[in-house]
Amino acid sequence: MTEYTVAIEPLGAEVTCREDQTVLDACLREGIWLPHACTHGTCGTCKAEVLEGEVNYGDASPYALLESEREEGAALLCVATPREDLTVEAEVDVEEGVDIHPVRDYTGVIESVEEAGPRVRKVIIAADTPVSFNPGQYVSLASPTGEVRPYSIASTPQDPSRIELHIQLSDGGVVTEGWVFKSLAAGDRVSFTGPYGKFSWRPLREQPVVLLGSGTGLAPLKSMVRHVAETGSGHQVVLYHGVATRDDLYDKEFFTELDEQNDWFSYRPALSKDTWNDRTGRVPALLAEDYPRAAGNVAYICGNPAMVTDTMKALMKARLFPRDIYREDFFDSADRAAGTNVVRSPLIKR
Ligand SMILES: Cc1cc2nc3c(=O)[nH]c(=O)nc-3n(C[C@H](O)[C@H](O)[C@H](O)COP(=O)(O)OP(=O)(O)OC[C@H]3O[C@@H](n4cnc5c(N)ncnc54)[C@H](O)[C@@H]3O)c2cc1C
Ligand code: FES
């Protein structure tokens, strides 16, 4: 297999990259952190300038990388592979206090598959080797047919040998309907890579934290809540979990008990077709009721892209600056085909 040298500016670093390997993968495996979110050519977060050399653009969504941007020398590093030695200029903005965990290949055995809700399965993987990650990050899980999908880690770095994933059924979905909800069972061997993503707990931000998730967008937020509980970091945390009805809420016993036993934590289910504490409404609506002014908080939003965008708008209307908001959009193949949810504003953290 031919290998090329990729120089990363402004770092002045060099990595070796195989001709079938993406530039992002080569960098993350060497511990060189570059911005990325979806790792599937959908969101545009990893866009960088190719200063020297030719790339194969890979499976870049035409919405995330416009033809005009290609012509100007841009590429999506999560799908671009080298055709020769390269020099690439990327936006490198590693934040103080955020650990960098090189991407690794992992294997493990399925410890349990639990029906967490009508359309959600909680999957626990006992990893063969400890998995290093920051709360909020995700892994890419490979199906037996070789399809790879991102899933956020709901467990905490304090227990690196067991990875908890929350997987929602997607009608017609290759990996969910075709595998996880069809045949995945305890004892099966699986492989995954990671950790990935920029959506991770910022330990040095001491402001009160507002976590806002819909559906399985709860997964990385659960990791953060448990991390605060296990490390005793002292953060004040409010968690909103948006689903349709009480039956769709999962892990409610865990969060209710945590709320009852701790002053630092508040659990606020947001039910669009049901009530909880006499309230009905989606996450952005309840948030607007509770926070006429949100300035002074740090917010983490995660879930389907429409909910994430609506919640982002609600927070900004309540005067929270984009620099205080972190988001993870659960883009899927339909979002990719539609191309409607590419976030272009440089102000918005992803
Ligand atoms: C960073 C990140 C983290 C994520 N974390 C989680 C998580 O923790 N939990 C979770 O449940 N999900 C998560 N997701 C979503 C997850 O990765 C998958 O997208 C989801 O599970 C669907 O996979 P699938 O193979 O079953 O569906 P796919 O086969 O990818 O299809 C998804 C949907 O799109 C439709 N579709 C497929 N192709 C097209 C097309 N060409 N045009 C129109 N529609 C199409 C399908 O019918 C289906 O309804 C995350 C996504 C990202 C980007
Ligand atoms: S991380 Fe490359 S397009 Fe999303």
Coordinates of all heavy atoms in Angstrom, one line a residue, residues 22-23 33 59 73 77 79 93 103-104 139 169 188 211 217 222 226 249 290-291 314 348:
T22 N -8.1 8.3 5.3 CA -8.4 9.7 5.3 C -7.4 10.5 6.0 O -6.8 10.0 7.0 CB -9.8 10.0 5.9 OG1 -9.8 9.8 7.3 CG2 -10.9 9.1 5.2
V23 N -7.2 11.8 5.6 CA -6.2 12.6 6.3 C -6.6 12.8 7.7 O -5.7 12.8 8.6 CB -6.1 14.0 5.5 CG1 -5.2 14.9 6.3 CG2 -5.7 13.8 4.1
W33 N -4.9 16.6 16.8 CA -6.4 16.8 16.8 C -6.8 17.9 15.8 O -6.3 19.0 15.9 CB -6.8 17.3 18.3 CG -8.3 17.1 18.4 CD1 -9.0 16.0 18.8 CD2 -9.3 18.1 18.1 NE1 -10.3 16.3 18.8 CE2 -10.5 17.6 18.4 CE3 -9.2 19.4 17.6 CZ2 -11.7 18.2 18.2 CZ3 -10.4 20.1 17.4 CH2 -11.6 19.5 17.7
D59 N -16.2 10.7 -0.2 CA -17.7 10.8 -0.3 C -18.1 12.1 0.4 O -18.9 12.1 1.3 CB -18.2 9.6 0.5 CG -19.7 9.3 0.2 OD1 -20.2 10.0 -0.7 OD2 -20.3 8.5 0.9
G73 N -9.6 25.0 -3.6 CA -8.6 24.2 -2.9 C -9.0 23.6 -1.6 O -8.2 23.1 -0.8
L77 N -11.5 16.8 5.3 CA -10.4 15.9 5.7 C -10.9 14.6 6.2 O -10.2 13.6 6.3 CB -9.5 16.6 6.7 CG -8.8 17.8 6.2 CD1 -7.8 18.3 7.3 CD2 -8.1 17.6 4.9
V79 N -13.1 12.7 4.8 CA -13.3 11.7 3.7 C -12.2 11.8 2.6 O -12.1 11.0 1.7 CB -14.7 11.9 3.1 CG1 -15.8 11.4 4.0 CG2 -15.0 13.4 2.7
D93 N -7.8 24.4 17.0 CA -8.1 25.2 18.2 C -8.3 24.4 19.4 O -9.4 24.4 20.0 CB -9.3 26.1 17.9 CG -10.6 25.3 17.6 OD1 -10.4 24.0 17.4 OD2 -11.7 25.8 17.6
V103 N -7.2 8.3 18.2 CA -8.1 7.3 17.7 C -7.5 5.9 17.6 O -6.3 5.8 17.2 CB -8.7 7.7 16.4 CG1 -9.4 6.6 15.7 CG2 -9.6 8.9 16.5
R104 N -8.2 4.9 18.1 CA -7.7 3.5 18.0 C -8.8 2.6 17.5 O -10.0 2.9 17.6 CB -7.3 3.0 19.5 CG -6.3 3.8 20.2 CD -4.9 3.3 19.9 NE -3.8 4.0 20.6 CZ -3.1 5.0 20.0 NH1 -3.4 5.4 18.7 NH2 -2.2 5.6 20.6
V139 N -18.1 6.9 19.3 CA -17.3 5.9 18.6 C -18.0 5.6 17.3 O -19.2 5.8 17.1 CB -17.2 4.6 19.4 CG1 -16.3 4.8 20.7 CG2 -18.6 4.0 19.8
L169 N -34.1 3.2 16.9 CA -34.5 2.6 15.7 C -34.8 3.7 14.6 O -35.5 4.6 14.8 CB -35.7 1.7 15.9 CG -36.3 1.1 14.7 CD1 -35.4 0.0 14.1 CD2 -37.7 0.4 15.0
D188 N -22.2 -11.4 21.2 CA -21.7 -11.1 19.8 C -20.4 -10.3 19.9 O -20.2 -9.5 20.8 CB -22.7 -10.3 19.0 CG -23.9 -11.1 18.6 OD1 -23.9 -12.3 18.9 OD2 -24.8 -10.4 18.1
L211 N -27.8 21.1 30.0 CA -27.7 20.0 29.0 C -29.0 19.8 28.4 O -30.0 19.7 29.1 CB -27.2 18.7 29.7 CG -25.9 18.7 30.6 CD1 -25.7 17.4 31.2 CD2 -24.8 19.1 29.7
G217 N -30.2 11.6 22.0 CA -29.2 12.7 22.2 C -28.9 12.7 23.7 O -28.0 13.5 24.2
K222 N -25.7 12.0 29.3 CA -25.6 11.1 30.5 C -24.2 10.9 30.9 O -23.8 10.9 32.1 CB -26.3 9.7 30.2 CG -26.3 8.8 31.3 CD -26.9 7.5 31.0 CE -26.8 6.5 32.1 NZ -27.4 5.1 31.8
R226 N -22.9 11.8 34.6 CA -22.2 10.8 35.5 C -20.8 11.2 35.8 O -20.3 11.0 36.9 CB -22.3 9.4 34.8 CG -23.7 8.8 34.8 CD -23.7 7.4 34.2 NE -22.7 6.6 34.8 CZ -22.3 5.4 34.3 NH1 -22.8 5.0 33.2 NH2 -21.4 4.7 35.0
L249 N -39.5 8.1 27.6 CA -38.4 8.5 28.5 C -37.6 7.3 29.0 O -38.2 6.3 29.4 CB -38.9 9.2 29.8 CG -39.2 10.7 29.8 CD1 -39.6 11.0 31.2 CD2 -37.9 11.5 29.4
D290 N -38.0 28.6 31.4 CA -37.2 28.5 32.6 C -36.1 29.6 32.6 O -35.5 30.0 33.6 CB -36.5 27.1 32.8 CG -37.6 26.1 33.0 OD1 -38.7 26.4 33.3 OD2 -37.2 24.9 33.0
Y291 N -35.6 29.9 31.4 CA -34.5 30.8 31.2 C -34.8 32.0 30.3 O -34.5 32.1 29.2 CB -33.3 30.1 30.6 CG -32.6 29.1 31.4 CD1 -33.1 27.8 31.5 CD2 -31.5 29.4 32.2 CE1 -32.5 26.8 32.3 CE2 -30.9 28.4 33.0 CZ -31.4 27.1 33.0 OH -30.8 26.2 33.8
A314 N -33.3 29.2 20.6 CA -33.9 29.6 21.9 C -32.8 30.1 22.9 O -33.0 31.1 23.6 CB -34.6 28.4 22.5
I348 N -20.6 29.2 15.4 CA -21.3 28.1 16.1 C -20.3 27.0 16.3 O -19.7 26.4 15.4 CB -22.5 27.7 15.3 CG1 -23.5 28.8 15.2 CG2 -23.1 26.4 15.9 CD1 -24.7 28.5 14.4

